Amino acid sequence: MTNSDNMSSTTSISQTQAWLESLRPKTLPLAVAAVVTGSALASWMGHFKWPVALLALLTAAILQILSNLANDYGDVTKGSDTGKRIGPMRGMQKGLITAKQMKNALKITVLLSCLSGISLITVASNSPGDIIGFLILGLLAIVAAITYTVGTRPYGYIGLGDISVLIFFGWLSVLGTYYLQTRTFSISTILPATACGLLSVAVLNINNLRDIENDRQNGKNTLAVRLGGKKARYYHAALLVTAMLCFAIFTLLYLHNWFSWLFLLAFPLLLKHIVQVLRDPTPEGMRPKLVQMVKAALLTNILFSIGLILN
């Protein structure tokens, strides 16, 4: 093999790695957790449907990838992803992915999300009202995924990312998955949907605490920046405690077996996480806490879902 062949191979590997970094597969458990929780609620009501659950998982995963790619594109083009950022450098920041390539990737991902979403609605919906309603919700989800950091006034730069995550990773994902399988809405499901959303918000908050100094310097006014490091840490604790309370209240009101409380097995992990976050005032200290929070959120949702299915 010649030197030019070696260089071409290395560049190819580097680009492949760069795209994997931009796709951020480690964030996919958040999208999966919401659909799993919604499907478990549907199963609890005796209306679980495999085709709907699988298409919902696929759609949620593609939308998460779309959000990740748009986030990279928006942050780099706006100059907020600098060399001082504590988080990992990704493809565009490294110069391995051009703006044009990322735009094309965004277009392809939007197309895939549309195809997956339409397939989901076709399989799950019968009435024209449901079809129109979920088409609108799907389009809103695509717009929200892109405009978090892209556009003239991205909402992630004015501190509205947290409420968006609660809506799309909690209420819309869980309640939507539940409705598409049961064709009904139950007010009781708002509690676990809120809990699921709050756990996802906690993941975003840790990410923002990690990048708080860089974001502040570059005009990205996340909620963590607006609150300041100390208050954002108390806010983080409140998110996790409230999420567990939502699960607990739902369990007390609607479930009546000891295994319904399986989600409490995750509480020591969450409590340890809260203590560590409160005690570490440094942005650098939040870097390992991000993966820890993703795992804790996924574990909590899975344990709660197992309790539901066993009921």
Side-chain angles (χ1 to χ4, degrees):
M1 184 181 288
T2 65
N3 287 337
S4 60
D5 289 334
N6 283 326
M7 290 176 65
S8 176
S9 176
T10 302
T11 302
S12 176
I13 292 170
S14 298
Q15 273 219 320
T16 301
Q17 183 63 33
W19 280 110
L20 283 173
E21 289 168 351
S22 292
L23 292 174
R24 305 186 204 181
K26 290 182 180 179
T27 64
L28 294 183
L30 295 179
V32 169
V35 175
V36 167
T37 301
S39 296
L41 286 165
S43 175
W44 172 59
M45 294 297 291
H47 294 284
F48 178 75
K49 296 180 176 66
W50 271 110
V52 177
L54 291 174
L55 282 169
L57 279 172
L58 178 62
T59 304
I62 295 172
L63 285 170
Q64 177 65 60
I65 289 170
L66 175 62
S67 178
N68 293 341
L69 294 176
N71 190 29
D72 276 12
Y73 177 80
D75 281 343
V76 172
T77 55
K78 285 179 172 55
S80 56
D81 269 1
T82 68
K84 295 180 180 179
R85 181 172 168 270
I86 294 172
M89 290 180 67
R90 307 196 189 280
M92 281 191 70
Q93 191 180 0
K94 291 177 179 177
L96 293 171
I97 299 173
T98 66
K100 183 179 180 180
Q101 287 174 322
M102 187 59 80
K103 279 184 178 180
N104 289 334
L106 286 170
K107 290 174 183 177
I108 292 169
T109 312
V110 167
L111 177 61
L112 290 174
S113 63
C114 288
L115 291 173
S116 180
I118 290 170
S119 299
L120 171 61
I121 294 168
T122 302
V123 168
S125 300
N126 288 330
S127 70
D130 284 352
I131 292 171
I132 293 170
F134 277 97
L135 281 173
I136 293 171
L137 290 173
L139 289 173
L140 286 174
I142 291 172
V143 171
I146 294 172
T147 56
Y148 177 67
T149 58
V150 176
T152 56
R153 193 165 173 77
Y155 64 87
Y157 279 64
I158 56 175
L160 297 179
D162 296 58
I163 187 64
S164 176
V165 168
L166 175 60
I167 292 170
F168 288 100
F169 284 83
W171 299 332
L172 182 57
S173 292
V174 176
L175 300 180
T177 302
Y178 175 82
Y179 182 87
L180 286 171
Q181 294 181 67
T182 64
R183 306 255 170 81
T184 60
F185 172 75
S186 173
I187 195 169
S188 64
T189 56
I190 292 176
L191 283 166
T194 301
C196 186
L198 291 174
L199 290 171
S200 293
V201 174
V203 173
L204 175 65
N205 188 57
I206 285 291
N207 181 79
N208 291 341
L209 276 169
R210 182 196 65 190
D211 297 334
I212 189 168
E213 296 300 335
N214 187 72
D215 287 345
R216 183 184 289 116
Q217 292 169 12
N218 291 281
K220 188 176 182 180
N221 295 314
T222 62
L223 188 56
V225 170
R226 291 180 177 275
L227 290 173
K230 186 175 182 180
K231 288 182 180 178
R233 282 167 170 76
Y234 288 127
Y235 164 66
H236 189 75
L239 288 172
L240 298 183
V241 171
T242 305
M244 294 301 282
L245 282 174
C246 287
F247 280 137
I249 293 170
F250 176 87
T251 303
L252 279 171
L253 292 176
Y254 302 106
L255 305 178
H256 307 290
N257 295 302
W258 66 267
F259 39 76
S260 304
W261 296 93
L262 278 174
F263 68 91
L264 289 179
L265 292 175
F267 185 70
L269 179 63
L270 290 172
L271 185 60
K272 180 182 178 182
H273 173 82
I274 289 171
V275 172
Q276 290 175 342
V277 169
L278 291 176
R279 286 181 176 175
D280 191 337
T282 65
E284 293 84 357
M286 297 303 102
R287 186 170 186 172
K289 305 296 186 297
L290 182 58
V291 175
Q292 185 186 86
M293 186 62 245
V294 171
K295 291 179 179 178
L298 181 62
L299 175 64
T300 306
N301 279 290
I302 287 176
L303 289 172
F304 174 75
S305 298
I306 291 172
L308 276 173
I309 292 168
L310 291 176
N311 267 275

